[in-house]
Amino acid sequence: EAGVVQSPRYKIIEKKQPVAFWCNPISGHNTLYWYLQNLGQGPELLIRYENEEAVDDSQLPKDRFSAERLKGVDSTLKIQPAELGDSAVYLCASSFRSGIDNEQFFGPGTRLTVL
Amino acid sequence: GNSVTQMEGPVTLSEEAFLTINCTYTATGYPSLFWYVQYPGEGLQLLLKATKADDKGSNKGFEATYRKETTSFHLEKGSVQVSDSAVYFCALSLNSGNTPLVFGKGTRLSVIA
């Protein structure tokens, strides 16, 4: 069974440029998460989707970040414009549904470097 | 608020040594507790979990016991191997079911032969 797929694995851009990350969750998983992991820190939730609905986006900086999950499957996270402080690893995870008994499966992440 | 504090690394051990990585938590409710592991170049993987006090999670020789009285969930392994070299994250999730995982900062373990 394929795991969570993310692309690209690495991205280097200059500040003020836009960037987008793509995630393909495990087939059949209704819940999708985007986490931000800064260097030396644990992941922090940016947004959680139940199917195509964003049910928790309280930590998403909406002035520059946006996300979508069309048709409740793949998801895209966008930053426009990127700032130096956005350099981090962006993790996508999925689970069958929300709840403590539903294990979250993580992708390998996209490492973003903003110059 | 909810938070997780785990011992800072890096931790370097010789093969077959005993491992302890300390983890304590603060939670407004009654959490479930997790250990995740991140091997080099790979995504986070659930290592073990415990959902109520005194539960012991175990997997691949690793164990952790949910201690409510000390708000702790320390990770232990009796004999580490080189292949255990990774970053280990302690995390919690409140039992309401709709709250996200809250992670500690991670502890890097290096096991040398």
Side-chain angles (χ1 to χ4, degrees):
Chain A
E1 176 183 309
V4 176
V5 179
Q6 291 188 246
S7 69
R9 290 292 308 275
Y10 304 91
K11 188 73 176 178
I12 300 174
I13 61 171
E14 294 189 348
K15 62 181 181 182
K16 301 185 180 179
Q17 294 300 306
V19 64
F21 314 125
W22 175 80
C23 173
N24 178 241
I26 293 173
S27 177
H29 280 193
N30 301 323
T31 305
L32 184 146
Y33 313 77
W34 282 102
Y35 287 86
L36 166 67
Q37 185 176 15
N38 286 305
L39 185 65
Q41 304 292 318
E44 299 176 1
L45 183 73
L46 287 172
I47 189 168
R48 174 170 62 95
Y49 282 93
E50 297 286 348
N51 298 304
E52 64 274 9
E53 181 183 0
V55 296
D56 184 355
D57 64 355
S58 58
Q59 301 303 311
L60 190 71
K62 299 181 183 63
D63 57 336
R64 297 184 299 108
F65 286 66
S66 64
E68 61 182 9
R69 191 184 184 198
L70 299 177
K71 301 181 181 179
V73 181
D74 295 359
S75 178
T76 303
L77 178 68
K78 297 179 182 178
I79 308 174
Q80 183 170 9
E83 298 179 351
L84 295 176
D86 297 330
S87 295
V89 176
Y90 292 82
L91 297 170
C92 180
S94 69
S95 64
F96 180 61
R97 57 179 182 270
S98 285
I100 59 167
D101 292 328
N102 292 283
E103 179 181 348
Q104 293 184 31
F105 293 82
F106 285 80
T110 296
R111 182 177 296 277
L112 174 67
T113 301
V114 182
L115 303 177
Chain B
N2 304 312
S3 65
V4 173
T5 302
Q6 57 183 108
M7 65 186 287
E8 293 190 15
V11 175
T12 302
L13 295 174
S14 297
E15 208 166 20
E16 299 184 2
F18 184 85
L19 169 70
T20 299
I21 300 178
N22 290 337
C23 171
T24 58
Y25 67 88
T26 301
T28 55
Y30 189 41
S32 290
L33 302 173
F34 306 82
W35 278 101
Y36 279 80
V37 58
Q38 189 171 33
Y39 298 104
E42 299 184 16
L44 284 163
Q45 302 173 24
L46 179 64
L47 181 59
L48 54 84
K49 70 177 183 182
T51 59
K52 60 182 186 294
D54 300 325
D55 267 2
K56 178 186 286 187
S58 61
N59 186 25
K60 299 181 181 181
F62 290 89
E63 293 183 339
T65 301
Y66 190 143
R67 300 291 188 194
K68 186 178 180 182
E69 63 276 13
T70 55
T71 63
S72 65
F73 192 54
H74 304 321
L75 182 68
E76 297 181 336
K77 186 175 185 181
S79 177
V80 294
Q81 305 300 312
V82 172
S83 57
D84 294 326
S85 298
V87 182
Y88 292 82
F89 292 90
C90 185
L92 68 80
S93 179
L94 294 182
N95 284 344
S96 66
N98 288 320
T99 56
L101 288 166
V102 176
F103 287 89
K105 292 184 177 182
T107 302
R108 181 176 299 278
L109 170 66
S110 295
V111 181
I112 55 177

